[in-house]
Amino acid sequence: MKPFSYERALSPAQAAAAVAARPGARFLAGGTNLLDLMKLQIETPTHLVDVNGLALDKIEATADGGLRIGALVRNADLAADARVRRDYGVLSRALVAGASGQLRNMATTAGNLLQRTRCPYFYDTNMPCNKRVPGSGCSALGGFSRLHAIVGSSEACIATHPSDMAVALRALDATVETVRGDGATRVIPIADFHRLPGNTPHIDTNLHAGELITSVTLPRPVGGTQLYHKVRDRASYAFAIVSVAAIIQRDGTGRVALGGVSHKPWRVEAAESEMPRGARAVAAGLLAGAQPTHENAFKVPLAERTLAAVMNQARS
Ligand code: SF4
């Protein structure tokens, strides 16, 4: 591990200013992804700004009937919150499907959104990877790509985003609140938070340098049957091959987002108008233009079948 300096943040804006002021500085919260990346020297921060002491660990009702989730709320606490379990079941289920119990006890809401891809070439510093070293090439193209993206990818990167929580937040139309060093705040719809790779796959989100996530807000509950189904290679502690977050109403309308298929949680609102016609019609809209590799073409029918299973479960 390379040497770095460390400080404890005093306020959200001061933390943002501290990171913005020093090239190579990073926020430290749960550390469940960052510390692994530092040990492998994939991330080599010059300075860590520890935000764990900030009062961003509350889950509070909003004036319009929603919930504001502090950036430091741990994944395990969020999944177990009675209001989340009752009104946002898709989120609670997605959280419990992620990682392991120990990791969920440490991982934070903001950190979950910011975790890096689990593409094996990103973690192998002997291999070219445009996300790790811009311009070096993409080893997954023509390499091992069974778990990679089938939609929204580019010639520079075919990685997927690993978060389960973010897929549920996309179905729930959550928003992400941030603060910058000068105290300016903004609200980012979850749909605009993560980026597709394009020719800049090293940039995962639309956050500015030093911009700190302070909370994630859920709109007022929309009801319906809320399900999260994750297909993976083993029963726990594995990332999604394909996942489906669904909110399905009694009249057959609803919302669907997919995980494990793209560089960001994947939702196509126009496809949801096909829900009364069944999973095949919805999947056709969701995956229009899919460009799988020869190793992961199976994800196209797998996504359709997983969606069909979820829709059938909602009806039963
Ligand atoms: Fe790197 Fe993306 Fe290619 Fe994986 S898919 S090797 S993360 S550029």
Side-chain angles (χ1 to χ4, degrees), residues 116-123 127-133 136-141 144-145 148-149 153-160 197 201-202 263:
R116 309 300 307 273
T117 185
R118 264 50 175 205
C119 170
Y121 301 110
F122 179 70
Y123 289 81
M127 300 294 288
C129 170
N130 286 323
K131 187 179 281 296
R132 179 169 29 79
V133 182
S136 62
C138 173
S139 297
L141 288 168
F144 176 80
S145 59
H148 286 71
S153 53
S154 72
E155 292 185 355
C157 180
I158 58 172
T160 57
H202 58 292
H263 201 257

Side-chain angles (χ1 to χ4, degrees), residues 48-160:
L48 288 183
V49 178
D50 187 337
V51 296
N52 282 295
L54 303 179
L56 300 173
D57 58 352
K58 309 285 188 305
I59 305 174
E60 300 167 316
T62 62
D64 65 354
L67 274 188
R68 179 170 295 109
I69 303 159
L72 293 172
V73 172
R74 309 288 156 168
N75 288 180
D77 294 335
L78 184 57
D81 184 274
R83 296 160 293 183
V84 174
R85 286 165 56 93
R86 182 188 66 216
D87 296 329
Y88 305 97
V90 65
L91 176 57
S92 183
R93 289 185 164 95
L95 284 159
V96 171
S100 65
Q102 293 96 327
L103 286 168
R104 292 194 294 273
N105 285 340
M106 282 302 294
T108 64
T109 302
N112 192 316
L113 288 175
L114 296 173
Q115 62 182 302
R116 309 300 307 273
T117 185
R118 264 50 175 205
C119 170
Y121 301 110
F122 179 70
Y123 289 81
D124 184 347
T125 53
N126 294 309
M127 300 294 288
C129 170
N130 286 323
K131 187 179 281 296
R132 179 169 29 79
V133 182
S136 62
C138 173
S139 297
L141 288 168
F144 176 80
S145 59
R146 177 173 170 270
L147 300 177
H148 286 71
I150 56 173
V151 281
S153 53
S154 72
E155 292 185 355
C157 180
I158 58 172
T160 57

Side-chain angles (χ1 to χ4, degrees), residues 4-29:
F4 57 88
S5 50
Y6 170 92
E7 72 175 280
R8 286 194 176 92
L10 303 174
S11 74
Q14 181 270 327
V19 168
R22 296 178 72 151
R26 294 280 189 280
F27 299 113
L28 174 65

